[in-house]
Amino acid sequence: MSKFTNLSDFKLPELPYRMVKGDYDFSKQAVIDGNIKMLKSIKNNYGTLIKKWADAFELGEPVLASFIAVESGGKMVGKNSAGAMGLTQVTYVSVIECVSKFKIITSQDLPEDFVSLLKAKAPFLLKLTPNNQIVSSADKAKLEKLLVSDANFNIAMGALSLRWILELTKAKGLSYLHKGIIGYNAGSYGRISSYKNQFVSADALFKDSKLPKETRNYIVQVLGKNGFMELYVKNNI
């Protein structure tokens, strides 16, 4: 029985568009082959961890693997200019907010395996509350180190953040992957907040010029023609 809000059904592809950015064109066979190879590498390297945390947060393996493909290409990258880190490109600020406000937003307790992970790796996070999100400089440094060095920890935090934003942006009793993509990439309190408690199609979000182009490209990379979700499912990765 589901604990969290069910994801709305979607087609593959959900959008009739493909990602095009210079030579990075999802209609080119070389790019398609490269993306399939990337997804297989992500599955080979991190499949067990992806399944564990996708199951814990009821996301589905293709969803979480596709987010990793877009965010990092399956590489444990260091902190970027926006403070995002690792395979799922999460920030320490996002982790702190999602842990401290998880029950308020989802109406559910954190999954037991996730709590066990925090107890072992970052117990200071379990002391946070919605009204107390203060983390010492030493604990912040420890958290950031974990996010760039521990694949299990990073994927768990990415899954946490995605479930949190799906619940925050849900409408009509369902959560929507395309709304979650916007919140994950552009921030939960940005443009996506104007659609609070509303259904909005993936196509409408893709055409919303008030969203950054990078964010709209994200939707296409995941849900467009030859997007990562379609490649993952059709190639039985």
Side-chain angles (χ1 to χ4, degrees), residues 114-157:
F114 187 86
V115 172
S116 295
L117 176 67
L118 293 188
K119 286 179 177 178
K121 299 282 187 174
F124 56 89
L125 290 174
L126 293 171
K127 298 178 182 178
L128 302 177
T129 69
N131 296 318
N132 177 21
Q133 299 182 40
I134 298 172
V135 174
S136 71
S137 57
D139 284 340
K140 175 187 173 183
K142 182 177 182 179
L143 178 56
E144 291 193 334
K145 184 176 180 180
L146 283 167
L147 288 172
V148 298
S149 64
D150 187 323
N152 181 47
F153 190 86
N154 185 278
I155 293 171
M157 297 307 131

Side-chain angles (χ1 to χ4, degrees), residues 2-68:
S2 296
K3 289 175 57 178
F4 302 116
T5 306
N6 289 333
L7 268 175
S8 174
D9 291 337
F10 51 84
K11 304 184 298 293
L12 290 174
E14 178 71 10
L15 289 169
Y17 318 112
R18 68 180 189 278
M19 173 66 184
V20 180
K21 187 177 181 180
D23 290 334
Y24 192 53
D25 183 337
F26 278 26
S27 68
K28 293 183 177 180
Q29 193 60 49
V31 173
I32 293 170
D33 292 344
N35 286 341
I36 292 172
K37 182 178 179 180
M38 181 204 302
L39 286 169
K40 287 181 176 178
S41 176
I42 290 170
K43 177 73 176 285
N44 288 337
N45 291 329
Y46 306 110
T48 301
L49 301 178
I50 289 169
K51 176 173 172 48
K52 177 179 181 177
W53 297 115
D55 287 350
F57 289 99
E58 298 174 13
L59 300 170
E61 293 175 63
V63 170
L64 190 50
S66 294
F67 268 71
I68 290 172

